[in-house]
């Protein structure tokens, strides 16, 4: 009737992201048409993962290489991560407490590990299961297990003390370096030859590329030539588990 009004509710329920436009037409009994223009933008939820792929390179068998992964919700809509599916021999995750809810702008980190049991190449994927409109692509994982190498080098390989006064003491350093790719446990060093000594020292474990200096002393008690002392190369043994 004249002066009356009617309220109509228009709903927008997009199924895909993007800008939409349309109109509502009102047709009255006299054949008149009144149009109302409509527009709206559908915003989807998403999740980003960095890095997008992980290469662990060469990893000694039975050792673990760990890499950090960051997941971020760049939008304004809350995103839930419900599962993390990982494939490939030797790969695993830690620090990812599921289910995980990320609000808009929020980030979280977790670790991906590679622990090869055999000397061989391995490839895999990490897929995050989310309720985001656009789920992140699977992370590609790769790494190669290599056999442990237990090797030591000694420098110099021979030591000459030259002329030393009787009852005096001369000292020279011998450097031992772990030239392998695994920890080496040195339990003892044997020194042969009278009047040569290797004071102090204790069991030590050398990580790859680490060095230690051994101080060899010569204290002659009679006047004669002595052969060069040659510390026996310590036999590398794997460190205890």
């Amino acid at each position: 009737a004249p002066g009356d009004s009617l309220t109509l509710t228009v709903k927008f329920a997009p199924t895909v992201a993007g800008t939409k436009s349309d109109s509502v037409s009102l047709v009255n009994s006299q054949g008149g048409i009144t149009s109302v223009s409509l527009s709206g933008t559908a915003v989807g939820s998403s999740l980003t993962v960095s890095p997008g792929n992980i290469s662990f390179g060469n990893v000694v068998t039975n050792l673990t290489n760990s890499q950090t992964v960051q997941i971020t919700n760049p939008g304004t809509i809350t995103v839930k991560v419900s599962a993390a599916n990982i494939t490939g021999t030797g790969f695993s995750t830690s620090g990812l407490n599921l289910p995980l809810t990320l609000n808009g702008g929020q980030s979280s980190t977790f670790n991906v590990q590679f622990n090869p049991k055999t000397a061989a190449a391995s490839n895999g994927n990490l897929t995050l299961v989310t309720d985001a409109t656009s789920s992140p692509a699977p992370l590609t994982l790769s790494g190669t297990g290599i056999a442990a190498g237990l090797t030591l080098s000694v420098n110099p390989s021979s030591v000459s003390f030259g002329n030393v006064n009787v009852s005096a003491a001369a000292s020279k350093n011998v450097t031992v370096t772990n030239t392998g790719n695994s920890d080496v446990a040195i339990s003892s060093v044997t020194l042969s030859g009278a009047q040569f000594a290797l004071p102090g020292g204790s069991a030590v474990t050398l990580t790859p590329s680490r060095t230690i200096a051994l101080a060899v002393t010569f204290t002659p008690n009679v006047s004669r030539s002595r052969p060069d002392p040659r510390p026996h190369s310590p036999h590398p043994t794997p460190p205890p588990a």
Side-chain angles (χ1 to χ4, degrees):
D4 286 349
S5 63
L6 176 66
T7 300
L8 303 177
T9 300
V10 180
K11 294 182 178 181
F12 180 42
T15 56
V16 294
T19 300
K20 310 294 180 182
S21 61
D22 213 321
S23 64
V24 173
S25 297
L26 304 177
V27 182
N28 59 43
S29 58
Q30 283 73 39
I33 299 176
T34 301
S35 295
V36 178
S37 298
L38 308 173
S39 64
T41 300
V43 179
S45 57
S46 62
L47 200 66
T48 62
V49 180
S50 179
N53 60 77
I54 300 176
S55 175
F56 291 93
N58 294 330
V59 180
V60 177
T61 54
N62 297 313
L63 296 183
T64 300
N65 186 319
S66 181
Q67 301 287 337
T68 299
V69 175
Q70 178 173 285
I71 52 178
T72 303
N73 179 356
T76 58
I77 302 173
T78 298
V79 173
K80 181 180 180 180
V81 182
S82 57
N85 301 323
I86 195 166
T87 62
T89 302
F91 300 111
S92 63
T93 62
S94 65
L96 184 58
N97 300 318
L98 300 176
L100 172 67
T101 299
L102 293 177
N103 297 321
Q106 190 176 9
S107 298
S108 181
T109 60
F110 63 95
N111 293 323
V112 178
Q113 289 88 228
F114 179 47
N115 177 232
K117 299 301 181 183
T118 59
S122 184
N123 294 282
N125 291 286
L126 173 62
T127 303
L128 298 178
V129 180
T130 77
D131 62 356
T133 305
S134 176
S135 291
L139 279 76
T140 59
L141 309 174
S142 63
T144 302
I146 59 174
L150 305 175
T151 57
L152 295 176
S153 68
V154 179
N155 184 42
S157 59
S158 65
V159 179
S160 175
F161 289 90
N163 296 326
V164 180
N165 294 331
V166 174
S167 299
S171 180
K172 296 279 188 178
N173 282 341
V174 175
T175 301
V176 180
T177 304
N178 180 353
T179 54
N181 58 21
S182 302
D183 292 355
V184 174
I186 302 175
S187 57
S188 64
V189 178
T190 301
L191 182 66
S192 62
Q195 302 177 41
F196 294 106
L198 189 64
S202 60
V204 65
T205 296
L206 294 183
T207 56
S209 300
R210 183 185 170 191
T211 64
I212 58 170
L214 305 179
V216 182
T217 62
F218 175 45
T219 309
N221 54 25
V222 293
S223 180
R224 63 177 180 174
S225 177
R226 294 288 180 183
D228 292 344
R230 299 194 181 195
H232 294 282
S233 296
H235 297 287
T237 58

